[in-house]
Amino acid sequence: MTSLIIDCDPGVDDAVALLTAFGSPALDLLAVTTVGGNVPVDRTARNACILRQIAAREDVPVYRGAERPLVREPAGAGEFHGAEGLGDMAPFDPAKGCEPGGAVEAIVERVMARPAGTVSMAVLGPLTNLALALRAEPRLAEQLGPVAVMGGARAEGGNITASAEFNIWADPEAAAEVLDSACDVVLFGLDVTHQVRATEARIAGVEALDTPSARAAASMMRFSQRIEREIVGWDAPPVHDLCPVAWMLRPDLFTLRPCHIAVETGSDLTRGHTAVEFRDGVAGPLRHRWATAADADGVFDLLKGATR
Ligand code: RIB
Ligand code: CA
């Protein structure tokens, strides 16, 4: 069983990832931590509690994290997630809210209290909370297990700018600090997440399950389907954040490649660009991993299995 902390900014694809995690008994969910990103942290924290209630998983503590990036001004993505961050779903006051204390303390406490390498993280939004936790506890990187991050782009180009993906672009300094640390980072960038798309058949398959979690997940994907058609012209939206959680459950569904990843923080034009180098001895030791391929049907089978 994988002990996991999920750091996120729900967000409609974060929501699908959370509902999959909440419905997967193979995951020992130690905490959900939240960060400002798609929408401000007061909403991402509330949304995580709402999704937890829908999945009947109030046993999993939720913590509120960073309101803003390390140095940059906060920038949202509400056009892709709805003003409240849950697509067309009307938010409500969850019966159980966040725990007292912050995300950074929760991450440090849970990781340092367990044997080295036994607690992994899935980071589905800007990397601010993890960067702050690494600053707070210098031993954290060595103590953590794999850190699966949704972020970055290489062959696919960017989605927030021509050269950068949103999570990295939103807080490039945090991403740089995490990638420069000793963390064992596995980066699920647009190159792989664009292979994991919510087609009409996949959305309908989840809708047909007709459970609270399935209805919520399908609602999020229906919203993305409409918005992506209107804004991007795509017929099937990528469910980006599902990838790191799916990897935690079934790593065999993904192809990874050793690499060295650096993040641009000095240029306004290419801010947040991820320089993914596969050649040894060019940019630095190949100590990161980059996801290049996914079995999308297998990933959606996990979603359906977790929400049935
Ligand atoms: O670029 C996609 C990422 O940005 C996803 O995590 C999505 O939720 C948004 O935060
Ligand atoms: Ca996200």
Short mmCIF file of all heavy atoms in Angstrom, two decimals, residues 77-111:
data_model
loop_
_atom_site.label_atom_id
_atom_site.label_comp_id
_atom_site.label_asym_id
_atom_site.label_seq_id
_atom_site.Cartn_x
_atom_site.Cartn_y
_atom_site.Cartn_z
N ALA A 77 -6.81 30.25 -13.23
CA ALA A 77 -7.20 29.66 -14.52
C ALA A 77 -8.70 29.39 -14.48
O ALA A 77 -9.18 28.35 -14.92
CB ALA A 77 -6.42 28.37 -14.77
N GLY A 78 -9.43 30.36 -13.92
CA GLY A 78 -10.87 30.16 -13.71
C GLY A 78 -11.65 29.89 -14.98
O GLY A 78 -12.69 29.23 -14.95
N GLU A 79 -11.10 30.36 -16.12
CA GLU A 79 -11.88 30.14 -17.35
C GLU A 79 -11.97 28.65 -17.67
O GLU A 79 -12.90 28.21 -18.33
CB GLU A 79 -11.27 30.93 -18.51
CG GLU A 79 -9.88 30.51 -18.94
CD GLU A 79 -8.78 31.18 -18.11
OE1 GLU A 79 -9.06 31.58 -16.95
OE2 GLU A 79 -7.65 31.27 -18.62
N PHE A 80 -10.99 27.88 -17.18
CA PHE A 80 -11.00 26.44 -17.47
C PHE A 80 -11.59 25.62 -16.32
O PHE A 80 -11.74 24.40 -16.44
CB PHE A 80 -9.58 25.95 -17.76
CG PHE A 80 -9.06 26.37 -19.11
CD1 PHE A 80 -8.31 27.52 -19.24
CD2 PHE A 80 -9.38 25.64 -20.25
CE1 PHE A 80 -7.84 27.92 -20.48
CE2 PHE A 80 -8.91 26.03 -21.50
CZ PHE A 80 -8.14 27.18 -21.62
N HIS A 81 -11.91 26.27 -15.21
CA HIS A 81 -12.37 25.50 -14.04
C HIS A 81 -13.66 26.06 -13.44
O HIS A 81 -14.20 25.48 -12.51
CB HIS A 81 -11.27 25.47 -12.97
CG HIS A 81 -10.03 24.80 -13.46
ND1 HIS A 81 -9.82 23.45 -13.37
CD2 HIS A 81 -8.94 25.30 -14.11
CE1 HIS A 81 -8.65 23.14 -13.92
NE2 HIS A 81 -8.11 24.24 -14.38
N GLY A 82 -14.12 27.19 -13.97
CA GLY A 82 -15.27 27.87 -13.38
C GLY A 82 -14.82 28.76 -12.24
O GLY A 82 -13.81 28.47 -11.58
N ALA A 83 -15.57 29.80 -11.98
CA ALA A 83 -15.16 30.80 -10.98
C ALA A 83 -14.96 30.17 -9.60
O ALA A 83 -14.12 30.59 -8.81
CB ALA A 83 -16.19 31.92 -10.90
N GLU A 84 -15.73 29.15 -9.29
CA GLU A 84 -15.64 28.49 -7.98
C GLU A 84 -14.70 27.29 -8.01
O GLU A 84 -14.41 26.70 -6.98
CB GLU A 84 -17.03 28.04 -7.50
CG GLU A 84 -18.01 29.18 -7.24
CD GLU A 84 -17.56 30.07 -6.08
OE1 GLU A 84 -16.86 29.56 -5.16
OE2 GLU A 84 -17.87 31.26 -6.10
N GLY A 85 -14.25 26.93 -9.22
CA GLY A 85 -13.26 25.85 -9.31
C GLY A 85 -13.82 24.46 -9.48
O GLY A 85 -13.06 23.49 -9.61
N LEU A 86 -15.16 24.35 -9.50
CA LEU A 86 -15.79 23.02 -9.62
C LEU A 86 -16.65 22.93 -10.88
O LEU A 86 -17.65 22.21 -10.92
CB LEU A 86 -16.63 22.71 -8.37
CG LEU A 86 -15.84 22.49 -7.08
CD1 LEU A 86 -16.80 22.30 -5.90
CD2 LEU A 86 -14.90 21.29 -7.20
N GLY A 87 -16.26 23.66 -11.91
CA GLY A 87 -17.01 23.61 -13.16
C GLY A 87 -18.43 24.11 -12.96
O GLY A 87 -18.64 25.19 -12.40
N ASP A 88 -19.39 23.28 -13.38
CA ASP A 88 -20.81 23.67 -13.24
C ASP A 88 -21.40 23.29 -11.89
O ASP A 88 -22.57 23.58 -11.62
CB ASP A 88 -21.63 22.98 -14.35
CG ASP A 88 -21.31 23.53 -15.73
OD1 ASP A 88 -21.10 24.77 -15.83
OD2 ASP A 88 -21.26 22.75 -16.70
N MET A 89 -20.63 22.61 -11.06
CA MET A 89 -21.18 22.16 -9.76
C MET A 89 -21.30 23.35 -8.82
O MET A 89 -20.33 24.12 -8.65
CB MET A 89 -20.27 21.09 -9.12
CG MET A 89 -20.80 20.59 -7.77
SD MET A 89 -19.66 19.46 -6.94
CE MET A 89 -19.82 18.04 -7.99
N ALA A 90 -22.47 23.50 -8.23
CA ALA A 90 -22.67 24.58 -7.25
C ALA A 90 -21.98 24.19 -5.95
O ALA A 90 -22.28 23.14 -5.38
CB ALA A 90 -24.16 24.81 -7.02
N PRO A 91 -21.05 25.02 -5.47
CA PRO A 91 -20.37 24.67 -4.21
C PRO A 91 -21.33 24.73 -3.03
O PRO A 91 -22.36 25.40 -3.10
CB PRO A 91 -19.27 25.71 -4.10
CG PRO A 91 -19.74 26.87 -4.91
CD PRO A 91 -20.59 26.31 -6.00
N PHE A 92 -21.02 24.03 -1.97
CA PHE A 92 -21.81 24.10 -0.74
C PHE A 92 -20.84 24.08 0.44
O PHE A 92 -19.65 23.78 0.28
CB PHE A 92 -22.79 22.92 -0.65
CG PHE A 92 -22.17 21.56 -0.79
CD1 PHE A 92 -21.61 20.89 0.30
CD2 PHE A 92 -22.11 20.94 -2.04
CE1 PHE A 92 -21.03 19.64 0.17
CE2 PHE A 92 -21.54 19.67 -2.19
CZ PHE A 92 -20.99 19.02 -1.08
N ASP A 93 -21.34 24.45 1.60
CA ASP A 93 -20.48 24.41 2.79
C ASP A 93 -20.33 22.96 3.24
O ASP A 93 -21.32 22.35 3.66
CB ASP A 93 -21.07 25.25 3.92
CG ASP A 93 -20.99 26.74 3.62
OD1 ASP A 93 -20.07 27.13 2.85
OD2 ASP A 93 -21.84 27.50 4.11
N PRO A 94 -19.13 22.39 3.16
CA PRO A 94 -18.96 20.98 3.55
C PRO A 94 -19.20 20.79 5.04
O PRO A 94 -18.95 21.70 5.84
CB PRO A 94 -17.51 20.68 3.18
CG PRO A 94 -16.84 22.01 3.16
CD PRO A 94 -17.86 23.01 2.73
N ALA A 95 -19.69 19.62 5.40
CA ALA A 95 -19.97 19.33 6.83
C ALA A 95 -18.70 19.39 7.65
O ALA A 95 -18.70 19.84 8.79
CB ALA A 95 -20.63 17.96 6.95
N LYS A 96 -17.59 18.95 7.04
CA LYS A 96 -16.29 18.99 7.75
C LYS A 96 -15.33 19.86 6.94
O LYS A 96 -15.18 19.66 5.74
CB LYS A 96 -15.73 17.58 7.91
CG LYS A 96 -14.41 17.53 8.66
CD LYS A 96 -13.91 16.10 8.84
CE LYS A 96 -12.57 16.10 9.62
NZ LYS A 96 -12.02 14.72 9.76
N GLY A 97 -14.69 20.77 7.61
CA GLY A 97 -13.76 21.68 6.93
C GLY A 97 -12.32 21.23 7.06
O GLY A 97 -12.04 20.07 7.37
N CYS A 98 -11.42 22.20 6.88
CA CYS A 98 -10.00 21.91 6.97
C CYS A 98 -9.56 21.72 8.42
O CYS A 98 -10.19 22.21 9.36
CB CYS A 98 -9.19 23.06 6.39
SG CYS A 98 -9.38 23.24 4.60
N GLU A 99 -8.47 20.98 8.56
CA GLU A 99 -7.85 20.82 9.89
C GLU A 99 -7.20 22.14 10.30
O GLU A 99 -6.82 22.94 9.43
CB GLU A 99 -6.78 19.73 9.84
CG GLU A 99 -7.29 18.38 9.38
CD GLU A 99 -8.34 17.81 10.31
OE1 GLU A 99 -8.11 17.82 11.54
OE2 GLU A 99 -9.40 17.40 9.81
N PRO A 100 -7.05 22.35 11.62
CA PRO A 100 -6.22 23.49 12.03
C PRO A 100 -4.78 23.24 11.62
O PRO A 100 -4.38 22.09 11.42
CB PRO A 100 -6.37 23.50 13.56
CG PRO A 100 -6.83 22.12 13.92
CD PRO A 100 -7.60 21.59 12.75
N GLY A 101 -4.02 24.29 11.45
CA GLY A 101 -2.64 24.09 11.00
C GLY A 101 -2.59 24.16 9.48
O GLY A 101 -3.59 24.02 8.79
N GLY A 102 -1.38 24.35 8.98
CA GLY A 102 -1.23 24.57 7.54
C GLY A 102 -0.68 23.37 6.81
O GLY A 102 -0.24 22.36 7.39
N ALA A 103 -0.70 23.50 5.50
CA ALA A 103 -0.26 22.42 4.61
C ALA A 103 1.21 22.08 4.81
O ALA A 103 1.59 20.90 4.86
CB ALA A 103 -0.50 22.83 3.17
N VAL A 104 2.04 23.10 4.97
CA VAL A 104 3.48 22.86 5.08
C VAL A 104 3.79 22.02 6.31
O VAL A 104 4.49 21.01 6.25
CB VAL A 104 4.25 24.20 5.10
CG1 VAL A 104 5.72 23.99 5.46
CG2 VAL A 104 4.11 24.91 3.76
N GLU A 105 3.17 22.40 7.44
CA GLU A 105 3.41 21.64 8.68
C GLU A 105 2.89 20.21 8.54
O GLU A 105 3.51 19.25 9.01
CB GLU A 105 2.73 22.35 9.86
CG GLU A 105 3.29 23.72 10.20
CD GLU A 105 2.81 24.82 9.24
OE1 GLU A 105 1.90 24.56 8.40
OE2 GLU A 105 3.37 25.93 9.29
N ALA A 106 1.75 20.07 7.85
CA ALA A 106 1.17 18.73 7.69
C ALA A 106 2.09 17.84 6.85
O ALA A 106 2.31 16.66 7.18
CB ALA A 106 -0.21 18.84 7.04
N ILE A 107 2.65 18.38 5.77
CA ILE A 107 3.55 17.61 4.93
C ILE A 107 4.79 17.19 5.72
O ILE A 107 5.14 16.00 5.77
CB ILE A 107 3.96 18.44 3.69
CG1 ILE A 107 2.76 18.66 2.76
CG2 ILE A 107 5.10 17.76 2.93
CD1 ILE A 107 3.00 19.71 1.67
N VAL A 108 5.41 18.15 6.39
CA VAL A 108 6.64 17.85 7.14
C VAL A 108 6.39 16.82 8.23
O VAL A 108 7.10 15.82 8.37
CB VAL A 108 7.24 19.14 7.74
CG1 VAL A 108 8.37 18.82 8.70
CG2 VAL A 108 7.72 20.07 6.62
N GLU A 109 5.29 17.03 8.98
CA GLU A 109 5.02 16.13 10.11
C GLU A 109 4.80 14.70 9.64
O GLU A 109 5.39 13.74 10.15
CB GLU A 109 3.78 16.64 10.88
CG GLU A 109 3.46 15.87 12.16
CD GLU A 109 2.70 14.57 11.91
OE1 GLU A 109 1.87 14.53 10.96
OE2 GLU A 109 2.99 13.59 12.65
N ARG A 110 3.98 14.53 8.60
CA ARG A 110 3.67 13.16 8.16
C ARG A 110 4.86 12.46 7.52
O ARG A 110 5.07 11.26 7.71
CB ARG A 110 2.47 13.19 7.22
CG ARG A 110 1.17 13.25 8.00
CD ARG A 110 0.01 13.70 7.19
NE ARG A 110 -1.20 13.73 8.01
CZ ARG A 110 -1.46 14.66 8.92
NH1 ARG A 110 -0.57 15.62 9.14
NH2 ARG A 110 -2.58 14.63 9.63
N VAL A 111 5.65 13.19 6.77
CA VAL A 111 6.79 12.55 6.11
C VAL A 111 7.88 12.20 7.12
O VAL A 111 8.41 11.08 7.13
CB VAL A 111 7.35 13.46 5.00
CG1 VAL A 111 8.63 12.85 4.40
CG2 VAL A 111 6.31 13.67 3.90
#
